[in-house]
Amino acid sequence: EERKRKEEEEAARKAEEERKRAEEEAARKKEEEERKKREQEEAEAALKAAMPAAPTADELAQAEPEPEPEPEPEKEGDESSDDEMDDDGVRRLAMALFDYDGKFLKDGAALMLHKWQIVEILDELSNDWWLGAAGGEEGLFPAAYVEELPEPLKSVVAEYDFESGTDGHLNFAEGQTIVVVEERDGWMWGHYDGTYGRFPANYCYDISAMTAAA
């Protein structure tokens, strides 16, 4: 009888432990779902807050391409070329913080964006709307939808493949050249082929010094 009683108590204890584990797992899943829901709501709120009012007619007119001027004949001894940079010698690049589907703009006026895409800033028409280029297209986009990038620090080449499913990571194959704009705590932030993201610094080696020496 004593042995039977102990077996029943042990079975009841195990059943209670299993019940508690199931409750804890259900609570964990519920908390995870609520966290994801909050993050989605926060992202949607940030997206809504970032969307400016529609551009004015003057801003749209500024974005219209001007006719190309007739080329002036080259003078003897003039060694300048079409490859010269702008006055400041630096291209202004930005990274898209959100997708932009062309809201407020007619077809052809907007520059469609997807998150993490690299955009070249061509002109600031106002505080709210900028003119840019990406993927071979030009158009207007909300200034608040992008973050301007600092000037490049260096260039690196991937020594290994890097594949990650984490949002914001930059995947690449061995041998890929990447432009780095920031580095800290064992990570680099950079871009190639119009896409921006972060990646482990020890997956790449620096080629800037070799390029400069060459």
Side-chain angles (χ1 to χ4, degrees), residues 8 12 18 21 39 41 55 58 72 79 100 107 110 119-120 130 132 138 142 150 163 172 180-181 189 199 207:
E8 290 175 347
E18 185 64 27
R21 278 197 297 269
E39 289 179 351
E41 290 174 348
D58 288 342
E72 296 182 3
E79 299 180 355
Y100 174 57
D107 292 343
V119 187
E120 182 177 2
W130 290 356
E138 289 188 11
E163 294 185 7
F172 48 75
V180 178
V181 298
W189 283 256
F199 54 93
I207 61 169

Side-chain angles (χ1 to χ4, degrees), residues 18-84:
E18 185 64 27
R19 183 187 66 80
K20 286 183 178 180
R21 278 197 297 269
E23 288 180 351
E24 290 173 355
E25 180 64 16
R28 186 190 65 77
K29 288 183 178 180
K30 183 179 180 181
E31 183 179 351
E32 180 67 14
E33 290 174 356
E34 290 177 348
R35 183 186 65 79
K36 290 182 177 179
K37 183 179 178 180
R38 286 195 305 271
E39 289 179 351
Q40 179 66 24
E41 290 174 348
E42 289 172 357
E44 290 176 356
L47 189 63
K48 185 176 180 181
M51 175 59 73
T56 65
D58 288 342
E59 290 168 354
L60 289 174
Q62 291 180 56
E64 291 293 331
E66 297 181 359
E68 292 289 334
E70 291 292 329
E72 296 182 3
E74 293 187 8
K75 300 177 182 178
E76 284 190 29
D78 186 358
E79 299 180 355
S80 61
S81 71
D82 293 336
D83 295 331
E84 289 179 341

Side-chain angles (χ1 to χ4, degrees), residues 13-181:
R13 184 184 65 79
K14 289 182 178 180
E16 179 65 16
E17 289 179 350
E18 185 64 27
R19 183 187 66 80
K20 286 183 178 180
R21 278 197 297 269
E23 288 180 351
E24 290 173 355
E25 180 64 16
R28 186 190 65 77
K29 288 183 178 180
K30 183 179 180 181
E31 183 179 351
E32 180 67 14
E33 290 174 356
E34 290 177 348
R35 183 186 65 79
K36 290 182 177 179
K37 183 179 178 180
R38 286 195 305 271
E39 289 179 351
Q40 179 66 24
E41 290 174 348
E42 289 172 357
E44 290 176 356
L47 189 63
K48 185 176 180 181
M51 175 59 73
T56 65
D58 288 342
E59 290 168 354
L60 289 174
Q62 291 180 56
E64 291 293 331
E66 297 181 359
E68 292 289 334
E70 291 292 329
E72 296 182 3
E74 293 187 8
K75 300 177 182 178
E76 284 190 29
D78 186 358
E79 299 180 355
S80 61
S81 71
D82 293 336
D83 295 331
E84 289 179 341
M85 300 294 289
D86 294 335
D87 292 341
D88 58 5
V90 177
R91 294 171 64 208
R92 292 181 62 195
L93 298 180
M95 174 267 297
L97 300 169
F98 310 102
D99 294 343
Y100 174 57
D101 60 3
K103 185 177 180 180
F104 289 140
L105 298 175
K106 63 183 179 180
D107 292 343
L111 180 64
M112 307 296 188
L113 302 177
H114 58 80
K115 190 177 181 182
W116 307 119
Q117 185 176 14
I118 294 296
V119 187
E120 182 177 2
I121 302 169
L122 302 177
D123 195 9
E124 297 182 19
L125 304 184
S126 70
N127 290 333
D128 293 328
W129 292 93
W130 290 356
L131 178 67
E137 303 289 335
E138 289 188 11
L140 293 173
F141 60 91
Y145 271 46
V146 303
E147 177 180 315
E148 190 165 358
L149 299 179
E151 293 184 23
L153 292 177
K154 58 186 176 182
S155 294
V156 298
V157 169
E159 196 166 3
Y160 316 100
D161 294 349
F162 177 61
E163 294 185 7
S164 169
T166 301
D167 185 37
H169 281 183
L170 183 67
N171 294 333
F172 48 75
E174 179 185 350
Q176 178 64 57
T177 300
I178 305 165
V179 177
V180 178
V181 298

